Amino acid sequence: MFKFFKKNKSKNNDFVSIANPMKGKILNIEDVPDPVFAQKMVGDGFAVDPIDGEIHAPVSGEIVLQPDGLHALSIRTDKGLEVMVHFGMDTVELNGEGFSTDVNIGDKVEKGDVILNIDIDLVKKRVSSMISPVIITNPDMCEISEINFDAKQDEAVIKAYIK
């Protein structure tokens, strides 16, 4: 009885805003030139075709994944959402050449902090594509808003509404 007085909790303020971590053009995840990412086998999100090599944290949280080659980083937010930035395609084969960072697993970062630096000219010559996926690796815990294709670096691209 009196259920109409209860607040509707769907799409309320329980969301994580995921920002554009780099300067460049925002793309649909389906446009990534790798079927593992394009078919959302790793997770859902968006991609960026970068124009420089300074990568910022798309969310605030803790670094939970950092492969030796530094081609990707994952951050877990305080709500449990895990967001991975994977720079370029085939970058794992560079074994870290052209990549540097001052963050490590367990470090806390704030949205907008620099988390990776890439020698973009070196990397561009050695990989098949610079397109970089930004992926929610545990998408079952959220619903994603429409993509803001006009977002600049550090501006919100999508919102992940926690289920």
Side-chain angles (χ1 to χ4, degrees):
M1 195 159 128
F2 300 110
K3 288 184 181 180
F4 57 89
F5 287 115
K6 291 187 178 182
K7 198 174 192 178
N8 181 353
K9 293 198 176 200
S10 65
K11 293 211 176 179
N12 61 8
N13 289 333
D14 199 13
F15 68 87
V16 174
S17 177
I18 301 172
N20 182 356
M22 59 196 91
K23 293 177 184 168
K25 181 181 178 184
I26 297 180
L27 307 168
N28 280 311
I29 194 72
E30 294 89 352
D31 295 330
V32 174
D34 181 316
V36 171
F37 295 109
Q39 294 173 16
K40 303 179 185 178
M41 292 180 207
V42 179
D44 201 355
F46 59 95
V48 183
D49 190 0
I51 59 173
D52 74 13
E54 186 174 275
I55 312 305
H56 295 192
V59 294
S60 297
E62 178 183 350
I63 303 290
V64 294
L65 171 80
Q66 183 182 46
D68 291 338
L70 301 177
H71 63 283
L73 285 172
S74 287
I75 301 168
R76 182 182 306 124
T77 71
D78 62 352
K79 294 182 188 278
L81 203 67
E82 292 190 12
V83 179
M84 178 174 62
V85 178
H86 187 286
F87 193 84
M89 298 292 107
D90 305 322
T91 48
V92 66
E93 296 171 17
L94 297 178
N95 296 315
E97 188 178 353
F99 293 81
S100 65
T101 186
D102 290 328
V103 299
N104 297 295
I105 290 178
D107 287 354
K108 302 284 187 193
V109 295
E110 295 297 320
K111 185 187 295 185
D113 288 353
V114 176
I115 56 171
L116 263 177
N117 284 292
I118 292 112
D119 180 339
I120 199 159
D121 294 326
L122 181 140
V123 172
K124 190 183 292 188
K125 293 175 187 171
R126 306 210 23 223
V127 299
S128 61
S129 174
M130 297 297 283
I131 293 175
S132 302
V134 180
I135 304 161
I136 298 168
T137 57
N138 53 351
D140 52 315
M141 72 174 291
C142 66
E143 292 179 24
I144 299 173
S145 69
E146 290 184 24
I147 296 174
N148 174 7
F149 289 99
D150 297 322
K152 306 292 183 229
Q153 188 170 32
D154 298 328
E155 293 179 348
V157 177
I158 57 176
K159 290 181 180 178
Y161 292 91
I162 307 302
K163 291 182 183 176

